[in-house]
Amino acid sequence: PQLLEISNGSGTVELRVEYLAGNIDLTILHPAVAGIATLQYLFAYKPSQLLTPIRLITDGHADRVRRVYAESWFDNADAPSAYEDHADPDAQLHSDGFMITEDHVSSFCQTVGNHLQHYLQGGKAGSRAPMEYLFLSCTPSTLRILASTVFGDGQLEIVHLYHKIRLADGAAPLMVGDSVSSSLSIGGVFNAGAGKQITVLGTLRCRGEVIAHMETAFLSRNRSTPIEMAFQREHEQRFTIGLATDSDVAALVAKEWFTYHDNAPFRLASGVQVEFCLDSAYRFKRDGVYSSILTTGHAYVKSPAGAAVLVADINFKCGTSVKNPVIEYLRRHEASSDEI
């Protein structure tokens, strides 16, 4: 066997190459949370095939990559749950509380050069902590989703696309000593232009209250997910439309997906603004074409006191379509910020 060692600040990576019975065995060993992670590449060597004498043996390769991904990030990589515990795309992952410590705050501030005074008060219990720790509390569950069979292969080609955190109304600042828990679900796995994309949605809690909602997305370059397994969800999409005339009211009420709520205290009239909060689920027939769309939610009108009053239920379902008619209607009629 041929051996190549590469050393850096994280340790030593070993590459071992061995030729056996017409196959090339490349084994990579590198430091990981659970000890040493091992990734094996198997190649078939056929010199008679002049154009492609060396070809990757794909049988079992995706499982080997998922296992080494788990070994790299999880302490319990030997347990199947470490990398296949999220086989149900509709299930949620719940994390235990992530405790924010003085060392966390000090290390973070030094790393990113954050010198705000309320983070530099010794990091004692009761001192402020950066809101970035909301995302850190989600990291273990996010990695489990990326190593799951729902996501499939392509872990070695993953790039992070974006990360969003929306604080809940009235959310209190994070403090040293706080424990943050999270509930994560998969927002979608679908094919994008450069590869397959996965979106992860999360709800974060602290002191028993919801303090933020999270959305993060990853792309596995040059990979694709089977169309029959691709899906996409949109949670809590919010729209506000103005009903300036009686014709606007009649047009909305006539939609088959709009039904007055049983206990609605009044009917819509011209001159009001209607707020929609919707969830949508999409399945794909082929790229750019949906095989099914399901949109549900509610419509509200603000009372003079500012409270949201439920007036209608939204229920829409259809088969093959290139767009969601409900969302398209609301986008066309959405009120501008000057009108709200």
Side-chain angles (χ1 to χ4, degrees):
Q2 302 296 314
L3 175 64
L4 173 64
E5 293 184 350
I6 304 173
S7 298
N8 56 30
S10 300
T12 300
V13 178
E14 294 185 5
L15 285 77
R16 299 175 181 174
V17 181
E18 189 170 5
Y19 179 73
L20 293 171
N23 290 336
I24 299 174
D25 182 346
L26 169 62
T27 303
I28 303 172
L29 301 94
H30 69 90
V33 173
I36 298 296
T38 302
L39 176 59
Q40 183 183 40
Y41 280 86
L42 297 176
F43 300 90
Y45 177 52
K46 296 183 179 180
S48 60
Q49 298 180 358
L50 299 181
L51 294 179
T52 55
I54 300 177
R55 301 181 66 179
L56 176 67
I57 299 175
T58 57
D59 186 29
H61 181 70
D63 288 336
R64 290 193 293 272
V65 170
R66 266 204 307 277
R67 178 175 290 278
V68 77
Y69 193 84
E71 290 175 348
S72 299
W73 293 107
F74 306 132
D75 288 325
N76 60 333
D78 290 336
S81 62
Y83 60 97
E84 290 187 354
D85 63 344
H86 206 69
D88 181 359
D90 298 321
Q92 288 192 338
L93 279 177
H94 302 280
S95 74
D96 296 330
F98 172 82
M99 181 70 71
I100 302 174
T101 68
E102 174 185 346
D103 289 341
H104 287 147
V105 176
S106 176
S107 176
F108 176 84
C109 290
Q110 290 180 10
T111 300
V112 303
N114 189 331
H115 302 297
L116 292 179
Q117 189 60 38
H118 51 246
Y119 297 145
L120 301 177
Q121 298 176 353
K124 299 178 181 179
S127 299
R128 293 277 292 273
M131 298 302 283
E132 284 82 356
Y133 279 101
L134 291 174
F135 177 60
L136 188 59
S137 68
C138 300
T139 300
S141 294
T142 301
L143 293 172
R144 290 183 185 275
I145 290 174
L146 293 178
S148 70
T149 52
V150 175
F151 181 70
D153 63 354
Q155 282 77 15
L156 298 181
E157 290 78 30
I158 286 178
V159 293
H160 188 208
L161 295 179
Y162 64 82
H163 179 69
K164 302 176 183 177
I165 286 183
R166 176 169 57 87
L167 295 178
D169 293 340
L174 286 180
M175 313 296 286
V176 172
D178 278 346
S179 179
V180 181
S181 61
S182 63
S183 298
L184 266 61
S185 62
I186 300 177
V189 180
F190 53 92
N191 296 319
K196 68 175 176 181
Q197 182 174 326
I198 184 169
T199 304
V200 179
L201 307 174
T203 299
L204 300 105
R205 293 176 172 82
C206 184
R207 310 179 201 104
E209 301 289 338
V210 173
I211 57 171
H213 300 278
M214 179 208 76
E215 178 181 335
T216 188
F218 300 84
L219 178 77
S220 183
R221 294 173 293 188
N222 301 319
R223 298 283 179 165
S224 63
T225 191
I227 287 297
E228 65 273 12
M229 296 180 63
F231 66 94
Q232 190 172 4
R233 301 186 183 102
E234 299 286 349
H235 289 286
E236 294 189 1
Q237 286 183 288
R238 297 181 181 273
F239 302 90
T240 300
I241 67 172
L243 303 178
T245 66
D246 291 341
S247 296
D248 293 336
V249 176
L252 174 60
V253 174
K255 299 297 183 183
E256 70 276 9
W257 42 263
F258 182 97
T259 305
Y260 278 114
H261 189 70
D262 291 341
N263 297 321
F266 52 79
R267 294 296 189 257
L268 296 178
S270 59
V272 302
Q273 291 184 336
V274 185
E275 298 180 359
F276 294 81
C277 182
L278 306 176
D279 293 336
S280 296
Y282 303 86
R283 288 284 180 176
F284 290 84
K285 184 174 184 178
R286 58 181 181 272
D287 290 344
V289 179
Y290 303 116
S291 62
S292 67
I293 299 174
L294 175 64
T295 295
T296 59
H298 302 288
Y300 303 86
V301 172
K302 286 286 184 66
S303 70
V309 179
L310 175 61
V311 294
D313 300 317
I314 309 301
N315 287 282
F316 174 77
K317 185 177 182 179
C318 74
T320 303
S321 178
V322 296
K323 293 182 179 180
N324 185 331
V326 178
I327 302 301
E328 292 302 310
Y329 171 85
L330 295 176
R331 284 175 175 165
R332 287 197 306 270
H333 295 84
E334 191 168 16
S336 68
S337 58
D338 294 335
E339 298 173 315
I340 298 176

